[in-house]
Each structure stands twice: as structure tokens, then as C-alpha cells.
Amino acid sequence: MIRFENVGLRYGSGPEVLHDIDLTLESGSGHYLVGPTGAGKTSLLSLLYLGRRPTRGLLTMFGQDVATATRSALTGFRRRIGVVFQDYNLLDHLSAFDNVALPLRLVGTDPDMVRDHVHQLLEWVGLDTMAEVKPPLMSGGEKQRVAVARAVIGQPDVLLADEPTGNLDEPMADRLMMLFMELNRHGTTLVIATHNTRLPQRFPHPVLHLKEGFLKAGRPW
């Protein structure tokens, strides 16, 4: 589904932050992405959700070279990718319900189906009583749960999560991870960037290690 071949990334004229990345993500696979702060995890995720294009190398997604894909093709790719951003990226003027409903509304989902799916998901993440609350009035953990619900509502082909359990207590973190695992069992490709060493033990998946912009699978350096 996604393949990196000798990919490098730099910002502007600065030094490379990712070097010679070779990575294949098969459909329905699941991986953790780990590494120290500054290793390049967020930069790698930005390539995966098409927030940036590689400076060099080949990135193919859904069978197409990202560098030569048309704008409409890239838009189509992004609709197949769910993202949980570390800073949430919620729309402050919209309620929790409307933030979560946005991906479904963008593709013209029937309003009754939108309503049912959003309420079910808000209940799952423990926010059923906060459907009309807007992000400025939420705690960090509440915003994080809204961001997770928005990312998974459309059952994306690829789900990328940057520290999705960082502001959550252990029971809620496990509840959200079970939601991610269920999506993965139904075919969603999963990449979770985390500093939480408990997650790969509690919910086993292969681990990708980043260090100083270099990627290694399996055991860390």
C-alpha cells in the first residue's frame, strides 16, 4: 500500500532530517514507530499523511508515485488516511460532534448515518455527554479523544497516530487501543508513533525504530 525507497527529507535549505528511508507498509499491517525526541517520527508521519513530499527518493502510495500524482489524486489519497495529530488539529469553532462528523460530511454521507455513527463513537470514547462542547472548553485528554474519534470515523485505509495515548489514563488508553486494533483486524493499515513502551507489549505489533533520522526495523540500536 505504501512504499519508501531511499527517501530523504529536509526543510528548506537545512540539513536532512530523514535519511535513506526504505519502508514497505502492506495493506492491513500494523507498526509502532518509536525513537527519542527529535529522531524524526513526526517528520516521517508528515510524509505518510502527505503533509510533505520527499526531498529525494521514491514514495508510492496506493500504487502511484506521490511526486507525479495529480492534485485530485492526492486529495483522494488523503481521504483514505485518518490522522491523530499530537496537537489535535481540531476546529475550535465546531462542537465535538461536528469535528468528528466532518470526514463523513465531506464525502456526502447520509445525515442520519452521520448522526448515528458520531454518537456511537463519542459514547465509545467516553464523550457522549460532551457532543455540543467546543474544543476551547475541553481538557487535553478530551481533545485527544475527539481527535481519535474524528480519525477513525470513516474507517480509513490507513490510520496514523502521533502519541494517541499521551494525555490519557491507562484504562482509556487501552480502550482507544482496542478500537485501533479492531480497525486493524478489519484491514486498516496502522502506524502509531509513541514513547509509551507498554503499548507494544500490551498490543503486539512490529516496531520501527528511528534514530537521528535513520529507520531500523526490529531491535533498537
Side-chain angles (χ1 to χ4, degrees):
M1 179 171 285
I2 299 173
R3 178 171 292 174
F4 290 71
E5 297 180 33
N6 200 37
V7 166
L9 176 67
R10 70 175 72 245
Y11 297 106
S13 59
E16 276 199 343
V17 294
L18 295 175
H19 318 287
D20 304 321
I21 302 296
D22 290 307
L23 173 65
T24 298
L25 298 176
E26 302 288 354
S27 179
S29 64
H31 291 83
Y32 292 100
L33 180 62
V34 305
T37 300
K41 297 188 298 298
T42 298
S43 293
L44 183 56
L45 288 178
S46 74
L47 294 177
L48 285 167
Y49 65 72
L50 300 174
R52 292 186 177 274
R53 298 195 196 193
T55 308
R56 63 178 175 86
L58 178 66
L59 171 56
T60 57
M61 189 169 291
F62 308 115
Q64 293 190 51
D65 180 356
V66 166
T68 59
T70 64
R71 181 172 296 182
S72 62
L74 293 176
T75 299
F77 295 167
R78 291 187 182 101
R79 287 178 177 168
R80 299 173 65 178
I81 301 170
V83 186
V84 182
F85 294 97
Q86 194 170 8
D87 58 359
Y88 320 124
N89 274 23
L90 301 177
L91 299 178
D92 285 346
H93 66 285
L94 296 181
S95 66
F97 180 98
D98 289 330
N99 266 286
V100 177
L102 191 59
L104 297 183
R105 288 172 172 163
L106 287 173
V107 296
T109 305
D110 177 80
D112 289 339
M113 187 175 294
V114 171
R115 183 185 64 250
D116 291 345
H117 284 0
V118 173
H119 280 304
Q120 288 172 10
L121 201 46
L122 286 176
E123 183 175 4
W124 177 264
V125 300
L127 295 176
D128 49 312
T129 62
M130 299 186 67
E132 299 308 316
V133 177
K134 295 180 179 179
L137 299 178
M138 297 178 186
S139 69
E142 290 162 349
K143 291 178 184 179
Q144 194 151 18
R145 284 181 275 164
V146 173
V148 168
R150 182 184 59 185
V152 306
I153 189 73
Q155 297 183 335
D157 293 323
V158 179
L159 178 61
L160 311 172
D162 195 356
E163 298 289 350
T165 63
N167 288 316
L168 305 177
D169 59 27
E170 191 169 303
M172 181 53 68
D174 283 354
R175 189 171 178 85
L176 293 186
M177 287 300 298
M178 286 188 285
L179 177 60
F180 292 163
M181 296 302 113
E182 184 66 18
L183 284 168
N184 182 243
R185 280 192 289 272
H186 283 84
T188 295
T189 300
L190 185 65
V191 178
I192 300 174
T194 185
H195 285 102
N196 187 339
T197 57
R198 189 184 68 89
L199 294 184
Q201 299 171 4
R202 178 81 172 83
F203 304 93
H205 272 299
V207 178
L208 302 169
H209 298 268
L210 262 175
K211 182 179 180 182
E212 297 178 351
F214 291 95
L215 185 68
K216 180 181 178 181
R219 294 181 178 272
W221 278 266

